[in-house]
Amino acid sequence: MYKRQLLHTVLRAQGRPLLIHTDEAGARIWLTVRSDCPVDADAVAAELADAALPVRVALGSVRPGLDGFRRSTRAAARAKALALAAGPTAPRAVAFARVAPVALLVDEPRELADFVSDTLGDLAVDDPRNEILRETLRVFLATNRSYAATADHLMVHRNTVHYRVQRAVDHYRLDLDANAFDLHFALNVCRWHGGKVLRSKGK
């Protein structure tokens, strides 16, 4: 009940929400939200944390009419599937609009694994060191190659970011200028799909 009220307030919804329990631990909630009111997953996550609610939320898109109702439901389901695939490292709230390119490919793990391997080479090997390098490079590209912004996001020293980026680029022979889009996309795929698209050592 409290979660429904919280979402209603944060998303500035109108009217009464519709709630359907899907199982003992899950529920779907539909809210009437204005099209000019953005679905802010970060704000939702912050409110859930402040309220100490042990829940995770997948948010669909704001769409009008009955068809929009169905499309928003499918979008939320894809965001949920992606969050579950990412495991405990996934954010507390995931908005489909923010992860749409990766979420739309959630049903194609083999093709995604091939793309990741072709793009990242041995950086796609599943081990803790590579995971740190991948996440640092992902945030670095997402912040327009800002060492300071990446350091703030990861809560590490700027020199640490510089070392990790150079290590990833030099050791795995990555070209950030010629292949930035594919690299960033592949790193996002790794962020959300994890072991499903990574290679085991020795393969």
Side-chain angles (χ1 to χ4, degrees):
M1 177 68 72
Y2 185 63
K3 179 179 69 173
R4 178 173 58 185
Q5 294 173 344
L6 185 149
L7 291 174
H8 194 281
T9 301
V10 174
L11 299 176
R12 290 179 283 174
Q14 302 171 333
R16 297 182 61 183
L18 170 64
L19 182 147
I20 297 177
H21 290 280
T22 55
D23 54 42
E24 293 182 356
R28 289 182 176 178
I29 304 174
W30 287 269
L31 300 163
T32 302
V33 180
R34 299 195 315 270
S35 59
D36 62 344
C37 180
V39 177
D40 188 343
D42 291 336
V44 172
E47 290 294 333
L48 290 173
D50 289 344
L53 286 175
V55 298
R56 298 170 70 181
V57 177
L59 301 161
S61 306
V62 179
R63 304 290 183 191
L66 181 58
D67 179 63
F69 179 90
R70 297 191 185 100
R71 291 162 62 194
S72 181
T73 301
R74 289 196 298 269
R78 286 187 176 275
K80 176 184 176 181
L82 189 65
L84 290 175
T89 62
R92 187 184 291 263
V94 179
F96 174 76
R98 184 174 293 181
V99 297
V102 182
L104 289 170
L105 297 172
V106 72
D107 299 325
E108 304 294 341
R110 181 170 297 179
E111 286 78 2
L112 283 176
D114 289 342
F115 170 74
V116 166
S117 182
D118 292 343
T119 305
L120 300 181
D122 287 341
L123 186 57
V125 171
D126 190 6
D127 68 38
R129 183 189 64 179
N130 278 356
E131 182 179 2
I132 292 173
L133 294 180
R134 285 194 302 268
E135 182 62 7
T136 301
L137 191 57
R138 184 188 71 82
V139 176
F140 181 68
L141 292 174
T143 56
N144 294 317
R145 308 187 190 190
S146 169
Y147 290 101
T150 302
D152 288 343
H153 182 87
L154 298 177
M155 293 185 290
V156 298
H157 194 278
R158 179 172 175 169
N159 289 346
T160 300
V161 174
H162 189 274
Y163 168 80
R164 291 178 182 175
V165 170
Q166 286 303 121
R167 171 70 177 175
V169 170
D170 295 341
H171 187 73
Y172 296 105
R173 300 179 182 179
L174 303 178
D175 190 337
L176 300 188
D177 294 318
N179 206 23
F181 179 85
D182 284 354
L183 283 172
H184 190 213
F185 185 73
L187 291 165
N188 272 312
V189 170
C190 294
R191 165 69 177 83
W192 290 101
H193 291 280
K196 292 183 178 180
V197 298
L198 298 173
R199 300 202 316 267
S200 299
K201 285 186 177 181
K203 289 188 176 180

